[in-house]
Amino acid sequence: TKSLNDLAVSRNSKSQVYDQIIKDLMEAEVVLPTSYSNADVGRATKGAVRAILSKVYLFNRNFDLAAITARLITQMNYSLVPNYDDIWPSANENGPEHIFSVQFKAGLRGSGFNNQFGVRGGRAPINGDSGAIINQSFIDSFSENDLRKNASFRTSFTFSDGSTANFEPHVWKFFNPDGITPSNTDTNWPVIRYSDVLLILAEA
């Protein structure tokens, strides 16, 4: 607004908002590179724009454009990681499956995900707020052969001295044992991965 007398701005329609999102993404797609190197790794790329655009099309039930856009990404330099466990460690962030992630760097602009995913009452490095406790019924819904199971939840942690802590089932995807503190780690937050794009393509 330009004045305190004009605060009651009317809300735009849903279609107007989506039209603007699509316009912004299409403009960004033209100017952004397909990849970055060195200190610029992690910035939004052409693939990131296309991935988000394909999701926007899907949410708007424009299945033809969702499929066309997602298929363009399959022709870029992305791939699934061979082992599901390898998606989550901070050492593998910005890998071939990570199309776009919010970047964090301990000591500079660290993430606080260990606070959320760590164990309340635990000792470093697993101490946190236990904000990601899982119901046992959800864990039981996974087949024993499901490779995501052991990589996604934990009920114990073995420290470097060989001692073990046992706790309620916790989400373990974003836990980082190497952070400076629970609120200062290198753990990125994945916004969209190549697996998301393949699912968008399949649905479209």
Side-chain angles (χ1 to χ4, degrees):
T1 61
K2 297 179 181 179
S3 166
L4 292 178
N5 298 319
D6 186 27
L7 297 181
V9 179
S10 60
R11 177 179 293 185
N12 289 78
S13 67
K14 177 180 176 181
S15 62
Q16 286 175 313
V17 173
Y18 270 116
D19 286 346
Q20 186 65 53
I21 291 171
I22 292 168
K23 179 177 181 290
D24 289 346
L25 289 169
M26 292 182 74
E27 289 177 356
E29 182 186 10
V30 174
V31 298
L32 288 176
T34 56
S35 64
Y36 287 98
S37 60
N38 303 320
D40 287 321
V41 168
R43 293 181 180 274
T45 61
K46 195 179 297 292
V49 169
R50 287 175 176 172
I52 295 171
L53 184 58
S54 68
K55 181 175 282 193
V56 170
Y57 285 140
L58 186 74
F59 277 33
N60 281 275
R61 304 182 66 81
N62 192 333
F63 300 121
D64 288 343
L65 284 178
I68 289 169
T69 308
R71 192 168 281 113
L72 286 174
I73 302 164
T74 66
Q75 298 163 13
M76 300 178 76
N77 202 26
Y78 299 107
S79 62
L80 298 175
V81 296
N83 299 305
Y84 183 78
D85 299 38
D86 293 338
I87 297 172
W88 311 113
S90 59
N92 300 333
E93 291 176 332
N94 300 315
E97 187 167 332
H98 293 93
I99 295 180
F100 185 61
S101 300
V102 178
Q103 304 290 302
F104 290 96
K105 181 66 177 174
L108 181 64
R109 180 75 175 184
S111 66
F113 298 131
N114 273 20
N115 268 339
Q116 177 74 7
F117 296 100
V119 179
R120 184 179 291 115
R123 64 184 171 96
I126 66 167
N127 50 314
D129 293 332
S130 291
I133 296 174
I134 309 168
N135 289 331
Q136 187 62 46
S137 59
F138 178 68
I139 295 176
D140 293 342
S141 71
F142 282 74
S143 162
E144 286 302 317
N145 297 324
D146 193 324
L147 299 178
R148 298 170 299 172
K149 187 171 184 176
N150 290 334
S152 299
F153 343 112
R154 287 279 184 89
T155 57
S156 65
F157 181 84
T158 302
F159 296 94
S160 57
D161 63 5
S163 62
T164 299
N166 298 299
F167 39 81
E168 293 179 270
H170 273 61
V171 173
W172 215 251
K173 292 177 180 180
F174 305 108
F175 177 75
N176 184 341
D178 301 319
I180 297 174
T181 68
S183 59
N184 196 356
T185 74
D186 286 340
T187 309
N188 292 343
W189 187 261
V191 175
I192 194 160
R193 306 196 331 258
Y194 186 59
S195 50
D196 297 318
V197 172
L198 296 180
L199 291 172
I200 288 169
L201 178 57
E203 183 173 348

